[in-house]
Amino acid sequence: MKINSVCLELEESKSSPGIRVFDIAELSRYDGPGIRTVVYLQGCNAGCEWCHSPHSQSSVSPLMFLSSLCTACHRCVDACKQGVHKFINMKHCIDRSKCIQCGNCIKECPASVSGVSGSALSLPTAYATVDSLWEQIYPYLLLTKKSGGGITLSGGEALLQPQASIELLRRCREAGIHTSVETSGLLPVTIYRNVAPLVDTWMFGMRVITGKNHPRHDDHIRQVMTELAKHKCSILPRIPMVPGFYDCDDVLHSILSLLQQYHIDSIYLNPWNRNFDVNYYNSGIPLKMAVPSAREVATCESKIVSFFTHFKFDLYE
Ligand code: SF4
Ligand code: SF4
């Protein structure tokens, strides 16, 4: 992943007054202080092998299919004029390359409701304007404000839709609602410079690597953190405990060096997501890494916790 390669998408997004979202958690205890309303924006440029929401990476999510809810009624086969759904040897096969996202199969499916993500069939990407999204989440934001929480923009990579993100953050700032943004740190520094005045807390992904086959991003992350440090905001680094990636000595020492440079002494260690492969099966996206064994996960988590404990960091999950 080249940092500059995201510029094209950023330019394109300037002409879009809307926002693409693949999920909303109206009230969540995760992703920032207090109770949060978390808006998950569609699209990501990081391409991490261990991503547990692979359907969030492209600009539009593919059709999701939960086979456990399918009653094999064949109604979707008749409803889809593109020939996406087929039954071969009694197995429901889906050719997503032909899907035009019309939603007809979802309307006809007895186990699906449009806009409900746990349905047998779903199209997660919702298109909205900031106005309509604001109207939808504002009552929840009032509750989060009362609780000492606020809004979190997550993803995907929220800042790949900078105009929409800035407008949401600006409205929250005006309403006195705490703002948090989760980021990989892998966008151009100018984006962070523009958004930082509107952000109280950064949930910072510490993606010094995005995968075994990718170049290291230490220098870029350092530039971004230098920019964020100029503003009145807190930085909560998040380190995903991924076996074979974040438990490597050179990666751990790179992160340590960054944290020490910016005098950060509290970090969030994200445990390995045991359901990481579910959305690959549901979306038809091939896995990019092998599912680690329970022993590999335990060894990795133990090593990372010991490492940061040794250097006297306050650790949070
Ligand atoms: S969304 Fe439309 S094109 Fe895609 S599978 Fe369903 S009916 Fe076919
Ligand atoms: S319409 Fe729904 S329940 Fe029926 S076969 Fe298609 S996905 Fe399965």
Side-chain angles (χ1 to χ4, degrees):
M1 198 279 304
K2 287 185 188 152
I3 305 297
N4 288 342
S5 69
V6 302
C7 291
L8 180 61
E9 192 170 353
L10 292 171
E11 287 302 318
E12 285 172 355
S13 69
K14 281 181 185 169
S15 63
S16 166
I19 182 167
R20 283 171 288 114
V21 169
F22 72 92
D23 203 1
I24 297 172
E26 285 88 356
L27 298 172
S28 168
R29 291 300 307 271
Y30 302 103
D31 298 317
I35 298 173
R36 318 291 304 175
T37 296
V38 187
V39 181
Y40 298 90
L41 284 86
Q42 181 78 37
C44 184
N45 63 317
C48 306
E49 275 94 331
W50 55 88
C51 176
H52 58 264
S53 302
H55 58 299
S56 75
Q57 293 182 7
S58 52
S59 56
V60 180
S61 168
L63 179 74
M64 302 291 277
F65 172 57
L66 275 65
S67 59
S68 60
L69 294 181
C70 176
T71 59
C73 71
H74 289 223
R75 286 189 207 172
C76 54
V77 178
D78 297 333
C80 179
K81 303 305 173 211
Q82 310 301 318
V84 172
H85 299 272
K86 280 194 173 63
F87 277 79
I88 300 172
N89 296 330
M90 295 175 43
K91 185 170 185 277
H92 191 157
C93 302
I94 298 179
D95 181 355
R96 290 175 176 82
S97 67
K98 295 180 182 167
C99 178
I100 57 169
Q101 305 245 325
C102 67
N104 286 344
C105 57
I106 298 172
K107 283 185 205 141
E108 295 304 320
C109 173
S112 304
V113 173
S114 295
V116 175
S117 60
S119 295
L121 296 169
S122 62
L123 291 166
T125 311
Y127 301 83
T129 60
V130 171
D131 274 350
S132 61
L133 179 65
W134 181 255
E135 201 174 308
Q136 181 184 340
I137 64 176
Y138 187 65
Y140 299 101
L141 289 174
L142 291 180
L143 193 155
T144 64
K145 182 180 176 184
K146 217 171 173 183
S147 77
I151 194 170
T152 298
L153 301 188
S154 184
E157 170 58 68
L159 299 183
L160 277 177
Q161 299 183 61
Q163 279 191 312
S165 295
I166 286 173
E167 181 57 18
L168 276 173
L169 294 169
R170 189 189 63 74
R171 291 182 187 205
C172 287
R173 186 48 66 88
E174 273 183 18
I177 295 164
H178 181 276
T179 58
S180 180
V181 174
E182 189 171 7
T183 185
S184 63
L186 297 178
L187 295 178
V189 176
T190 49
I191 294 292
Y192 296 98
R193 189 172 300 140
N194 292 338
V195 178
L198 298 169
V199 179
D200 295 310
T201 300
W202 290 92
M203 313 292 291
F204 201 92
M206 300 308 291
R207 297 288 189 269
V208 296
I209 51 166
T210 52
K212 280 179 178 158
N213 300 320
H214 295 272
R216 295 287 295 265
H217 299 294
D218 306 48
D219 291 342
H220 181 75
I221 296 285
R222 189 166 271 108
Q223 287 173 34
V224 172
M225 291 185 80
T226 299
E227 180 59 39
L228 298 186
K230 294 175 188 167
H231 301 267
K232 281 187 190 165
C233 56
S234 56
I235 300 175
L236 298 180
R238 302 180 107 183
I239 299 164
M241 295 194 279
V242 185
F245 293 87
Y246 280 84
D247 52 358
C248 301
D249 289 340
D250 61 329
V251 172
L252 288 171
H253 282 281
S254 289
I255 293 173
L256 176 67
S257 156
L258 280 162
L259 297 174
Q260 289 178 331
Q261 180 178 346
Y262 296 96
H263 309 292
I264 294 171
D265 52 15
S266 298
I267 54 174
Y268 282 74
L269 297 180
N270 295 345
W272 174 252
N273 185 331
R274 269 74 177 169
N275 296 317
F276 124 95
D277 51 346
V278 170
N279 283 323
Y280 288 87
Y281 299 126
N282 293 347
S283 64
I285 296 171
L287 282 164
K288 289 199 271 182
M289 66 177 275
V291 180
S293 67
R295 174 178 286 198
E296 287 170 325
V297 169
T299 305
C300 165
E301 292 182 349
S302 166
K303 178 174 178 178
I304 294 175
V305 169
S306 301
F307 180 85
F308 288 107
T309 301
H310 173 76
F311 288 100
K312 305 206 177 334
F313 282 85
D314 293 328
L315 306 182
Y316 300 92
E317 250 187 37

